[in-house]
Amino acid sequence: MTCYDRRDLGLLLLRLSTGGVLAAHGAQKLLGWFGGHGIKGTGQFMESVGYTPGRASATAAGLAEMGGGTLLALGLATPAAGAAAAGAMTGAAAVHAPNGFFAQEGGYEHAATLGLAATGLAVAGPGRLSLDHCLGHVFDRGWMVPAALGMTAAVTAVVVGARNQRVRRRTEGEQESLFEE
């Protein structure tokens, strides 16, 4: 009898790929690595798309992506890691949503895929080839999945909702009047 099966190997590959991409994406924001703009540049961008204050938003998004991605890749605190990454990707998808679905048009395809993969890992668990398994799942209890996803969903709804209101107010303020006075 083998210790590991196809499911464990599949979860490892999914965790490494999803977590690796998320960690690199977060490192762009936090550290300016891989062609990123670091906290300052990312903060300016975040302000321009309605996430204020920009520097704090860049830090939160970068930590959720880099930290969540790293933890997913390691298979450690999988419910919290997946939820954090999914929340960050929901915020990114909100920015790209006006461009439609496909990434080639600037759409939310990439963010949605990463967010859904992170959510799926939070729900499915890390498998036996993980630090969670080695540590007896002390950071991966069944109750942690709905708690982490529920808390993240609530916070994300507030943050994205506030951002959408700021963007809407900004756009409505720039509209020309229909009738001359």
Side-chain angles (χ1 to χ4, degrees):
M1 182 172 152
T2 62
C3 293
Y4 308 111
D5 60 17
R6 295 172 28 187
R7 181 181 178 277
D8 295 314
L9 183 58
L11 287 169
L12 174 65
L13 292 172
L14 186 57
R15 283 193 353 260
L16 290 174
S17 60
T18 303
V21 170
L22 284 162
H25 201 62
Q28 289 180 308
K29 288 178 179 62
L30 292 176
L31 308 170
W33 292 359
F34 311 115
H37 299 287
I39 293 291
K40 184 178 179 186
T42 303
Q44 291 170 346
F45 171 75
M46 296 291 253
E47 286 270 350
S48 76
V49 296
Y51 287 112
T52 58
R55 188 175 183 90
S57 297
T59 301
L63 287 172
E65 292 170 7
M66 189 172 174
T70 300
L71 290 173
L72 278 176
L74 295 171
L76 180 62
T78 305
M89 291 298 98
T90 300
V95 172
H96 294 282
N99 301 322
F101 179 72
F102 292 104
Q104 71 215 37
E105 301 295 325
Y108 63 94
E109 171 185 21
H110 183 67
T113 301
L114 287 173
L116 288 169
T119 302
L121 286 166
V123 172
R128 290 180 284 184
L129 295 168
S130 66
L131 288 179
D132 274 335
H133 181 73
C134 290
L135 297 173
H137 295 278
V138 294
F139 303 113
D140 180 35
R141 304 279 185 212
W143 64 266
M144 294 176 181
V145 175
L149 290 173
M151 249 178 30
T152 301
V155 170
T156 302
V158 169
V159 170
V160 172
R163 178 252 173 206
N164 290 345
Q165 284 182 336
R166 280 190 290 279
V167 169
R168 195 175 310 114
R169 279 195 304 265
R170 186 185 316 152
T171 337
E172 289 172 356
E174 294 173 3
Q175 290 179 349
E176 295 179 26
S177 64
L178 293 174
F179 304 101
E180 290 184 36
E181 294 180 20

